[in-house]
Amino acid sequence: MTMEKTIAVIRGDGIGPEIIEQALRALDAAAARYGHRFHYVDADMGGCAIDRWGDPLPQAELDKCLGSDSVLLGAVGGPKWNGLPGDKRPEKGLLRLRAGLGVYSNNRPARIWPQLAAASPLKQEIVDRGIDFLIVRELIGGVYFGTHTTAVENGQRRAADIMSYTEQEIRRIGRIGFETARKRRGKLCSVEKSNVLDCSRLWKAVLHELAAEYPDVELSDMLVDNCAMQLVRDPSQFDVIVTENLFGDILSDEASMLTGSIGMIPSSSLGDTSRGLYEPIHGSAPDLAGTDQANPIGTILSAAMLLRYSFGLTAEADAMERAVSQVLDQGLRTGDIYDEAAPGCRKVGCREMGAAIVRQMQAG
């Protein structure tokens, strides 16, 4: 069935415009092959919005996202804007975008592509056990959205950031964790710091209350510091991890490196509607901007998640992911995943990698 959808596109800063361009080419290839029409609406957020509008996310730009069927984001931020006040920094725009869209569940898969097994920093015997898990991160609560204060007391500067969660916020993300585990291998690990934090004690209590509704899912608890260690020691033990905002931010970046490169990892951020926010988990890499060295695969795979989760286009998403795998089979590698010692491996730039994936999609 032909589908016509509007996608808000936030190209962002640094390498953002370069990787987004390749993802749009892949989306156009999917649309042409399956008979759909995708309309793109550009929206400013981050440093580019600060430069143009003096605001990391003007209301008019947020309205473009709210008026679209889904949102595709490149990356924001960079040293150019590091000296700005906290409420004017590029990252503040991202937090406001997430809150405005109501996307409270960030889902980050961590799986190793067989073609890149040698790129993992883990020992081969650990990689051989398998790396295929998903982190469900609560996205619009916790310390990032808490009260932030700075003051001078007795001649000393003092700063405070308040972590806060309600039972309802924990329950809704916990339910996403259980539902996700039910669709995978039936194992859910709840990660917190209940030996120290009251927030985590409430988190743990609510997750165990929810467990009664999901007798087919095996729930386990793990302290965040232990989880960080276990991800390196034996990532094969994990199926789905559910955790709060700050812990999820840190653990998902750690998990991405287990797979060989942060440039390969997509993410989806979803709420109670089909409109989601899709982005690679890496940053804006300003040192690579304009050099054609960025890896567009994480962004292309994020576009595939957009097709799958917001538009329900499973075959189209499968085709995009299959094209990525086929290009890796051909030995094409951007600099972050290139191994000069690997036979048949050829280093390519961002544009060539995107073009190769598009050709595979066109070829079917």
Side-chain angles (χ1 to χ4, degrees):
M1 182 178 68
T2 298
M3 183 174 286
E4 188 165 352
K5 294 287 187 180
T6 298
I7 301 171
V9 178
I10 301 174
R11 299 172 191 269
D13 310 315
I15 62 172
E18 299 167 61
I19 55 177
I20 282 289
E21 193 60 36
Q22 303 313 312
L24 296 183
R25 293 176 67 192
L27 283 169
D28 286 341
R33 179 175 168 185
Y34 291 91
H36 306 303
R37 294 184 65 188
F38 299 145
H39 305 283
Y40 306 120
V41 176
D42 282 306
D44 291 330
M45 187 191 74
C48 62
I50 294 170
D51 291 346
R52 185 175 183 184
W53 308 104
D55 187 326
L57 182 62
Q59 184 61 46
E61 303 305 295
L62 175 59
D63 288 342
K64 292 178 183 179
C65 298
L66 293 171
S68 299
D69 297 301
S70 208
V71 182
L72 182 65
L73 166 64
V76 298
K80 177 181 178 181
W81 305 281
N82 283 351
L84 295 176
D87 63 340
K88 295 296 184 182
R89 290 170 61 94
E91 295 78 11
K92 181 61 70 170
L94 182 56
L95 297 181
R96 283 162 50 190
L97 177 65
R98 292 167 176 169
L101 292 174
V103 289
Y104 57 82
S105 174
N106 180 240
N107 309 303
R108 295 186 171 188
R111 72 181 179 96
I112 194 153
W113 293 79
Q115 303 94 329
L116 303 178
S120 174
L122 299 180
K123 291 181 179 179
Q124 191 62 47
E125 62 193 68
I126 297 176
V127 174
D128 288 343
R129 296 177 199 160
I131 300 175
D132 182 8
F133 61 93
L134 185 114
I135 295 179
V136 176
R137 167 192 170 193
E138 199 288 322
L139 200 59
I140 56 175
V143 70
Y144 290 173
F145 287 83
T147 302
H148 308 283
T149 60
T150 58
V152 177
E153 298 178 358
N154 300 320
Q156 296 287 321
R157 287 174 294 175
R158 182 179 184 275
D161 303 284
I162 306 301
M163 176 186 287
S164 174
Y165 272 106
T166 66
E167 178 180 353
Q168 184 267 340
E169 288 174 320
I170 299 170
R171 191 172 299 277
R172 69 183 181 183
I173 193 66
R175 197 174 296 283
I176 295 291
F178 277 105
E179 293 288 346
T180 303
R182 174 176 275 175
K183 296 172 184 176
R184 286 173 53 95
R185 301 191 298 275
K187 294 174 60 179
L188 179 65
C189 181
S190 171
V191 173
E192 26 74 6
K193 191 64 176 171
S194 56
N195 60 336
V196 175
L197 301 176
D198 284 339
C199 266
S200 287
R201 284 187 273 274
L202 177 60
W203 180 283
K204 185 174 181 178
V206 172
L207 264 290
H208 279 263
E209 292 167 7
L210 276 174
E213 301 178 29
Y214 297 90
D216 53 328
V217 176
E218 176 189 338
L219 175 66
S220 61
D221 304 299
M222 191 173 289
L223 297 178
V224 63
D225 42 355
N226 185 31
C227 183
M229 179 183 69
Q230 295 296 329
L231 283 173
V232 175
R233 190 187 72 83
D234 182 17
S236 69
Q237 67 185 282
F238 296 108
D239 179 19
V240 177
I241 293 171
V242 63
T243 191
E244 65 87 44
N245 205 344
L246 173 62
F247 299 159
D249 190 3
I250 297 168
L251 292 176
S252 58
D253 279 2
E254 178 192 10
S256 72
M257 289 310 299
L258 304 183
T259 66
S261 173
I262 197 171
M264 297 290 297
I265 310 299
S267 76
S268 64
S269 299
L270 302 167
D272 293 326
T273 71
S274 62
R275 182 184 55 229
L277 171 64
Y278 300 85
E279 60 182 308
I281 74 168
H282 59 70
S284 62
D287 56 318
L288 297 181
T291 67
D292 193 39
Q293 296 182 63
N295 185 347
I297 291 180
T299 317
I300 291 171
L301 293 175
S302 296
M305 294 181 83
L306 184 156
L307 296 178
R308 186 183 305 279
Y309 296 121
S310 282
F311 298 169
L313 299 176
T314 302
E316 291 83 343
D318 286 345
M320 198 174 292
E321 293 169 356
R322 188 164 53 248
V324 169
S325 184
Q326 290 167 337
V327 166
L328 293 176
D329 283 340
Q330 295 167 9
L332 273 62
R333 304 284 189 269
T334 47
D336 58 312
I337 54 176
Y338 177 67
D339 180 0
E340 62 182 10
C345 194
R346 183 166 69 87
K347 189 174 181 180
V348 299
C350 181
R351 289 190 294 270
E352 187 172 352
M353 177 63 82
I357 292 169
V358 168
R359 283 196 299 271
Q360 287 299 137
M361 294 184 65
Q362 292 169 337

